[in-house]
């Protein structure tokens, strides 16, 4: 059976997204230390000691065609500044989620997130022919919720007591999506925002 996800590289002006691999272990460990991101209890960022296992899990999901994980590399200095992925893939129904995304603290609110999401959405709708792309976040992650809404995604609902988080608490998950019928308008808005940044 042909895989839906293949090794690709997505190029933007600020960043390139390259397939996550074990060679990113050290650089990703340094990135997560910038802002001690694992201390944000509502995020997916791993502790530095767990980055290797984090990458191994992502690669296993890629082999099973369930996710396509990327290292986010800043082009100006070739530095790894975070990670993101296509995940929870449903190739039969042409749906996926963009998630498990985090950026080193010093690169947040620099235009990187907008460009990353643009590159991922463009590939999802124009190459994978997705019907819908989801975003999910912790109900307490207000920064993430605001960023998702700014992309043009609409809130579908809240999955109450959706899962047990890394602290043992029950997590309510907020679900957003962008539909293929909305992509052209979302694309135009994102391109306008990115032009203003350069």
């Amino acid at each position: 059976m042909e895989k839906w996800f293949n090794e690709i590289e997505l190029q933007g002006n600020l960043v390139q997204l390259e397939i996550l691999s074990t060679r990113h272990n050290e650089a990703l460990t340094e990135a997560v230390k910038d802002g001690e991101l694992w201390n944000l209890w509502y995020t997916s960022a791993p502790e530095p000691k767990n980055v290797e296992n984090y990458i191994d899990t992502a690669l296993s999901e890629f082999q099973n065609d369930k996710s396509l994980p990327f290292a986010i590399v800043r082009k100006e200095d070739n530095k790894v500044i975070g990670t993101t992925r296509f995940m929870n893939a449903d190739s039969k129904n042409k749906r996926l989620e963009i998630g498990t995304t985090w950026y080193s603290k010093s690169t947040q609110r620099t235009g990187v997130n907008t460009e990353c999401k643009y590159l991922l959405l463009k590939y999802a709708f124009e190459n994978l022919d997705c019907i819908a792309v989801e975003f999910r976040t912790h109900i307490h992650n207000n920064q993430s919720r605001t960023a998702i809404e700014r992309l043009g995604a609409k809130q579908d609902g809240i999955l109450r007591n959706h899962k047990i988080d890394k602290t043992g608490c029950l997590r309510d998950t907020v679900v957003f999506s962008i539909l293929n019928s909305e992509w052209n308008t979302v694309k135009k808005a994102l391109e306008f925002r990115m032009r203003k940044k350069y």
Side-chain angles (χ1 to χ4, degrees), residues 18-34 38 46-59 70-73 79-83 102:
E18 57 188 44
I19 294 296
L20 187 65
S21 75
T22 53
R23 70 186 173 85
H24 294 113
N25 187 9
E26 187 176 334
L28 205 61
T29 299
E30 288 307 305
V32 82
K33 287 179 182 177
D34 179 356
W38 65 93
E47 291 186 46
K49 65 182 181 182
N50 294 331
V51 168
E52 184 176 1
N53 184 58
Y54 182 88
I55 293 172
D56 288 343
T57 300
L59 296 179
F70 297 95
I72 304 166
V73 181
K79 184 175 182 178
V80 174
I81 58 171
T83 183
W102 54 265

Side-chain angles (χ1 to χ4, degrees), residues 111 114-115 118 189-198:
T114 301
E115 185 173 87
Y118 171 80
L190 291 174
E191 288 174 345
F192 178 75
R193 278 174 57 193
M194 290 188 297
R195 280 197 303 272
K196 288 172 66 178
K197 289 277 186 187
Y198 304 136

Side-chain angles (χ1 to χ4, degrees), residues 125-138:
F125 286 118
E126 298 179 14
N127 294 85
L128 297 176
D129 298 319
C130 283
I131 294 169
V133 174
E134 289 184 10
F135 300 88
R136 297 184 177 205
T137 192
H138 197 295

Side-chain angles (χ1 to χ4, degrees), residues 165-188:
D165 70 18
K166 62 187 178 185
T167 68
C169 292
L170 287 166
R171 162 183 156 148
D172 288 354
T173 298
V174 189
V175 183
F176 298 83
S177 66
I178 296 173
L179 307 179
N180 57 356
S181 59
E182 299 166 336
W183 169 235
N184 282 340
T185 302
V186 169
K187 179 181 180 181
K188 187 171 286 190

